[in-house]
Amino acid sequence: MSRHSKSFLLSALLALSTLVSGLGTSCSAPLGGGTAAPSDPYWLQTVKHQGTSAFNSDPSSYQVFRNVKDFGAKGDGVTDDTAAINSAMSSGGRCGGGSCNSSTITPAILYFPTGTYLVSSAIDTYYYTQIIGDAKKPPTLLASSSFSGFAVIDADPYIPNGWGAQWFSNQDNFYRSIRNLIIDLRQIPASTSAVGLHWQVSQATSLINIVVEMSTASNNNHQGMFMENGSGGFMGDIVFNGGKYGIQVGNQQFTVRNLTVNNAATAVSGIWNWGFTFQGVTINNCQVGFNLATGGTTTSNQTVGSEAIIDAVVTNTPIFVRTSVASNGQLAGSLVLNNIKLNNVPTAVGVAGGTTVLAGGTTTIASWGQGHVYSGTSGSKKFVQGNIVSANKSSVLLDSAGRIFGKVHPQYATYAASQFISVKSQGAKGDGHTDDTAAIQTVLNEYAGCKIIFFDAGTYYVTNTIIIPAGAQIVGEAWSVIMAGGSAFSDQKNPRVVIQAGAANSQGVLEISDMVFTTKGPAPGAIMIEWNVHDPSGQQGAAGMWDTAGTNMQYSQCPSGSVNSACQAAFLGIHLTSGSSAYLEGTWVWTADHDLDTSNSSDISIFTGRGILSQSHGPVWLIGTSEHAALYQYSLVNAQNHYIGFAQTETPYYQPSPAAPAPYSSTSSYNDPTFSSSMNMAWGMYIQSSSNIIIFGAGFYSFFQNYSQTCLTTNTCQAQIFNIDSASSVTAYSVSTVATTYQLSVSENGVIHSSDNDDGFQETFTAWSK
């Protein structure tokens, strides 16, 4: 059996505060703060590493954790460490080099102790890799003055003499994370083209705590990041100093949180997209903040389709946003600005060539948009280039500065290795076969709140509900996997929870990072996560998720076009119950549409009932994706106080054969939508009786009908995809759809017609409010 198809992927890195509401039996007082001495290395360097890849052909010898110094790197700033780093990256028959499109069975952490690592050519990243530096004192990758290569770190290398061919398919370039690194280009002559990160990636990817240092000379040719394609994705807490461009980006969609650019000619250069959300932006002393290629409203001329920017502070920068062409009274790329503080910024929005659209100065832009705006049940578009509806932001969603709250990925930098407990050291096997249910539950019962619980790399098979008490802090290694299977999860009429996050109405800490939750099918009755915990009073954002794959469903078992009951992966992905709060960042709730471990990534037909169901009264922050479930990707029922951005969904490729909800049934106890012969495709988002919901960037896509794409050109792959009932209070900004006749419906009656909003490959409306 192998984990090849990843039938149900739940990317999950859950973070909470440090307040503990319950304790395991091994202690009488909570863990408290970290005890590492200032001179101690980061705990990840010194903790015992006994992680394995359960379905590798030789799991006993395959090495998951790789300290680059063990492969000969010196980190002294003098020795050329390129060969040693690339050896650490590639050893063990890993997936890369252009001969392997994807693989989940050769995961690795490439670890950099503190130091300065001189490199003379690119670090080419292999599939399923985390590059992690010492979080206490991040190491530096120093590009030599004679550096030769596309970028210091290259996530999708171009094949020499390959006529544009690359190692990986950009839209399937999953499983990458880079954390705690400084990339320094300043030894490279300012006139030489140099790139810190070539980041052409897709979902289940992240950049966290990255700094790129570049030349500040006039007319220099350095850039912090180049991204020309992909289907992302999340990045956050990143800083770019100097350069021609801080970042130059083109991708279907991305969420960027807490971006800082200082002293660049252009902070953000937008090449193309279907939708980007920037949440929390700081720009200082640049010539242009956002320089956007616009005006392409056809598939053959795709430019920046949708740019949504919230909570920015821009200082001493002549132009905040500059588009390449004027709108001239019609949609030519959607733009939304919300809570933008300008300090000595003469032009807020302008057009290349000098035309000012919105004057700047020292001022605050509350809510401004450029594009088509709608309200209520009227399908009449109104082109706006001015103030637009300003959503009511509940105070529970905001930080002390009045910005949408954000939480840094927990890394436990101040904690000592002795403050962690390994589940393998306590008897769990993680071999993908042994039933680890009892061993895992015992560790949680004994050590929740007492130690940080470390899931060594591996696949932990469980056959019953795992109860994680409020108070637990959990961290994985290279996306450690909990895989549910067996008779307990076999009945969709009697669904059972795999991971119970806190008891009903509980409060306290619950941190889970770098974990994957999946099923060994069939598991049609599995609810992957029931999220019950609420952050304690005064502990904002104390419940959350980030970054996170395995099943026995392969192409041979579940080829596309087949309807096999053995290929039912889960009943529901995530259930946020009414008493919970949640901060979910970079959370990918995925039902696989192709087999990542076949040579050609073959299409497969695997079935999950539902994506994310939220009944939470809030606060909830959802920054992630939910794809390919049979009934819906997001369902909000009696929900309150939600911030959602960027939400990206795809309708199952097999529909309408079978038609929704098959092979599942609509269940009234879960407030499921009902379906008919005319309403036979999964909803991207379905909202019922909910209030204070803010959607700040979304992409709802329907690419296929039964694996055929003939419907793409006529926008008839799906009739409706995004529904809000008349009882709900929702404000939606920057929403893009693909191949859907109606972009937004009210009470299942189509309102916004896609034909009015051509914006490239996708259609985009700028704002809708009730």
Side-chain angles (χ1 to χ4, degrees):
M1 174 247 161
S2 103
R3 194 163 56 89
H4 292 341
S5 69
K6 301 231 173 337
S7 72
F8 179 87
L9 169 79
L10 174 59
S11 155
L13 181 82
L14 299 81
L16 292 193
S17 67
T18 55
L19 178 67
V20 174
S21 67
L23 290 175
T25 59
S26 67
C27 66
S28 57
L31 179 64
T35 61
S39 59
D40 288 347
Y42 183 40
W43 69 267
L44 187 60
Q45 179 176 334
T46 54
V47 73
K48 182 180 180 180
H49 289 286
Q50 48 194 337
T52 57
S53 175
F55 303 113
N56 188 278
S57 59
D58 189 5
S60 62
S61 64
Y62 179 80
Q63 184 176 357
V64 176
F65 182 85
R66 297 131 184 259
N67 185 323
V68 296
K69 288 194 171 182
D70 293 339
F71 288 78
K74 301 299 183 184
D76 57 12
V78 177
T79 305
D80 188 338
D81 286 326
T82 311
I85 295 168
N86 279 326
S87 175
M89 177 72 73
S90 62
S91 69
R94 301 194 66 223
C95 181
S99 61
C100 170
N101 196 49
S102 60
S103 175
T104 67
I105 61 175
T106 55
I109 289 178
L110 206 68
Y111 179 75
F112 286 81
T114 189
T116 299
Y117 298 83
L118 184 69
V119 294
S120 56
S121 60
I123 306 304
D124 294 330
T125 64
Y126 282 56
Y127 210 86
Y128 218 104
T129 299
Q130 294 182 342
I131 300 175
I132 302 177
D134 186 318
K136 297 180 67 179
K137 189 176 181 182
T140 297
L141 289 179
L142 177 64
S144 69
S145 59
S146 59
F147 182 88
S148 175
F150 193 83
V152 174
I153 296 179
D154 197 335
D156 197 0
Y158 284 89
I159 298 171
N161 302 312
W163 300 96
Q166 295 176 264
W167 279 17
F168 309 109
S169 299
N170 67 81
Q171 70 272 21
D172 297 335
N173 198 12
F174 309 140
Y175 301 112
R176 302 286 194 288
S177 183
I178 304 177
R179 308 172 194 171
N180 315 323
L181 281 181
I182 300 167
I183 300 172
D184 194 338
L185 306 180
R186 291 175 296 182
Q187 300 298 313
I188 300 174
S191 60
T192 300
S193 294
V195 177
L197 289 154
H198 177 215
W199 198 240
Q200 182 176 257
V201 295
S202 193
Q203 289 94 344
T205 60
S206 61
L207 295 174
I208 301 164
N209 191 25
I210 304 295
V211 177
V212 181
E213 301 284 358
M214 295 167 280
S215 171
T216 55
S218 297
N219 300 314
N220 74 78
N221 285 313
H222 292 184
Q223 61 186 92
M225 177 195 300
F226 178 65
M227 174 196 298
E228 72 275 42
N229 218 324
S231 180
F234 168 80
M235 62 181 83
D237 305 299
I238 49 181
V239 178
F240 298 88
N241 295 317
K244 178 180 181 179
Y245 303 119
I247 64 175
Q248 186 175 36
V249 290
N251 196 291
Q252 291 177 15
Q253 66 282 316
F254 235 92
T255 299
V256 184
R257 184 186 58 74
N258 196 18
L259 165 70
T260 298
V261 184
N262 302 307
N263 303 306
T266 298
V268 178
S269 170
I271 306 168
W272 74 275
N273 68 45
W274 300 346
F276 265 50
T277 292
F278 289 85
Q279 176 195 335
V281 177
T282 302
I283 297 172
N284 295 307
N285 303 308
C286 296
Q287 295 304 305
V288 180
F290 286 76
N291 195 44
L292 307 178
T294 56
T297 58
T298 65
T299 300
S300 61
N301 187 27
Q302 179 76 54
T303 53
V304 172
S306 173
E307 203 88 346
I309 308 168
I310 189 168
D311 297 335
V313 178
V314 187
T315 302
N316 296 331
T317 297
I319 302 171
F320 174 41
V321 178
R322 183 171 68 189
T323 63
S324 62
V325 300
S327 289
N328 295 323
Q330 60 187 2
L331 180 65
S334 175
L335 175 64
V336 174
L337 307 178
N338 191 286
N339 189 32
I340 311 297
K341 297 184 185 301
L342 305 180
N343 302 303
N344 188 28
V345 180
T347 300
V349 180
V351 180
T355 302
T356 297
V357 175
L358 177 65
T362 298
T363 186
T364 297
I365 302 169
S367 184
W368 188 94
Q370 178 173 279
H372 290 161
V373 174
Y374 296 81
S375 62
T377 58
S378 172
S380 298
K381 66 183 181 183
K382 179 183 179 182
F383 178 78
V384 172
Q385 202 170 43
N387 294 333
I388 59 175
V389 60
S390 184
N392 176 45
K393 300 174 187 173
S394 171
S395 61
V396 297
L397 294 172
L398 306 178
D399 63 17
S400 58
R403 296 153 61 107
I404 296 295
F405 175 80
K407 190 176 180 74
V408 176
H409 179 133
Q411 298 200 69
Y412 310 108
T414 63
Y415 287 79
S418 61
Q419 293 180 285
F420 293 77
I421 190 77
S422 157
V423 296
K424 285 195 173 180
S425 294
Q426 297 299 305
K429 301 299 183 184
D431 59 13
H433 305 287
T434 303
D435 188 344
D436 282 325
T437 309
I440 292 171
Q441 194 62 64
T442 297
V443 172
L444 291 166
N445 293 345
E446 291 186 9
Y447 293 101
C450 306
K451 299 272 190 179
I452 298 168
I453 298 169
F454 180 54
F455 274 76
D456 318 77
T459 298
Y460 299 84
Y461 180 55
V462 300
T463 57
N464 212 332
T465 302
I466 298 295
I467 301 171
I468 303 177
Q473 295 168 291
I474 294 172
V475 60
E477 181 183 29
W479 298 291
S480 304
V481 179
I482 292 179
M483 181 173 67
S487 60
F489 308 110
S490 65
D491 186 359
Q492 66 166 292
K493 294 181 179 179
N494 295 286
R496 183 174 295 192
V497 171
V498 176
I499 301 293
Q500 184 189 81
N505 301 311
S506 61
Q507 293 188 4
V509 146
L510 193 71
E511 296 182 353
I512 309 174
S513 55
D514 296 301
M515 295 290 295
V516 174
F517 304 101
T518 187
T519 58
K520 174 186 176 182
I527 298 174
M528 297 308 301
I529 293 182
E530 180 185 86
W531 191 261
N532 296 309
V533 69
H534 195 287
D535 51 14
S537 177
Q539 298 287 323
Q540 191 178 34
M545 286 201 256
W546 308 246
D547 286 354
T548 39
T551 178
N552 66 342
M553 301 180 205
Q554 302 167 272
Y555 174 75
S556 60
Q557 299 160 314
C558 305
S560 62
S562 66
V563 183
N564 185 343
S565 61
C567 298
Q568 292 178 254
F571 179 87
L572 170 61
I574 302 174
H575 183 192
L576 305 179
T577 60
S578 60
S580 69
S581 65
Y583 181 88
L584 313 186
E585 184 174 87
T587 302
W588 192 27
V589 185
W590 187 51
T591 306
D593 53 80
H594 55 281
D595 189 333
L596 294 179
D597 288 293
T598 57
S599 60
N600 59 352
S601 296
S602 305
D603 287 340
I604 51 180
S605 287
I606 293 176
F607 308 96
T608 292
R610 302 149 186 84
I612 297 174
L613 168 61
S614 179
Q615 297 174 301
S616 169
H617 293 171
V620 169
W621 300 264
L622 295 178
I623 304 169
T625 64
S626 175
E627 299 184 75
H628 304 321
L631 281 78
Y632 58 75
Q633 319 315 319
Y634 291 86
S635 175
L636 277 60
V637 181
N638 298 313
Q640 300 173 25
N641 302 324
H642 283 44
Y643 169 82
I644 305 172
F646 188 98
Q648 183 252 324
T649 73
E650 295 178 26
T651 300
Y653 297 173
Y654 59 80
Q655 286 182 344
S657 181
Y664 295 84
S665 302
S666 292
T667 303
S668 59
S669 59
Y670 284 87
N671 300 103
D672 287 338
T674 57
F675 297 87
S676 66
S677 59
S678 61
M679 198 80 67
N680 59 3
M681 306 282 276
W683 292 96
M685 184 174 288
Y686 197 87
I687 302 178
Q688 306 174 65
S689 302
S690 297
S691 60
N692 291 331
I693 310 298
I694 301 171
I695 299 165
F696 202 78
F700 303 129
Y701 311 145
S702 188
F703 295 118
F704 296 88
Q705 283 190 339
N706 193 19
Y707 296 96
S708 169
Q709 294 193 299
T710 57
C711 56
L712 273 177
T713 57
T714 56
N715 279 352
T716 56
C717 292
Q718 187 162 345
Q720 302 181 50
I721 199 165
F722 175 26
N723 185 71
I724 302 169
D725 73 3
S726 59
S728 293
S729 172
V730 178
T731 309
Y733 301 98
S734 299
V735 175
S736 294
T737 61
V738 170
T740 301
T741 305
Y742 286 99
Q743 296 186 271
L744 180 143
S745 303
V746 176
S747 299
E748 298 189 13
N749 294 307
V751 172
I752 300 179
H753 204 290
S754 63
S755 61
D756 288 333
N757 295 307
D758 289 339
D759 198 27
F761 185 82
Q762 85 295 348
E763 294 76 40
T764 304
F765 68 83
T766 297
W768 178 90
S769 59
K770 186 175 179 180

